[in-house]
Amino acid sequence: MLPELSEQQQRRLAPVKRYALYVIGLLFVMNGLGYFAVYTYAGGVLMIAAGLFLFPAVRSSLEIRLGVDITPLVALGVFGLLFLSSSVFALTAVDISQAPDIVAPFR
C-alpha cells in the first residue's frame, strides 16, 4: 500500500497533477488529429474527446453544466471507454492484407 500523504504534500502535488493532466490530454488530442490523417474520422473524434476530457478545465465545466460530481474513478472510466472505442475504429480501418508477416503471421 502507498503511504498516506499529508495535507501539505497534497497541496504541493496538486499543481503537478494539474499540469500533467494537461500535457497527457494534449498528447491524446494530437494523437486524435493523427487518427484523422491515417485511420478514421470517428476514431479521431473519440480520441480528441478523450484527450479533452483529461483537461481539468473541461471536466469542471462538464461538472457545472451537468450538475454532477465527476470522481477520479468515473473520469478514468469515461476516458477508458473513449480511448478503447477510438482504438476499435482505428483497428477496423487497418488493411491487414498489406501487413508484413511479423505483424500478422496467421492470415
Side-chain angles (χ1 to χ4, degrees), residues 86-105:
S86 69
S87 299
V88 166
F89 278 112
L91 289 174
T92 58
V94 172
D95 184 17
I96 198 143
S97 66
Q98 305 268 332
D101 287 337
I102 191 90
V103 175

Side-chain angles (χ1 to χ4, degrees), residues 51-76:
L52 289 176
F53 190 74
L54 287 178
F55 292 166
V58 172
R59 204 168 334 131
S60 65
S61 174
L62 284 173
E63 285 179 342
I64 292 169
R65 287 180 189 234
L66 298 176
V68 296
D69 185 32
I70 300 176
T71 63
L73 188 60
V74 170
L76 180 65

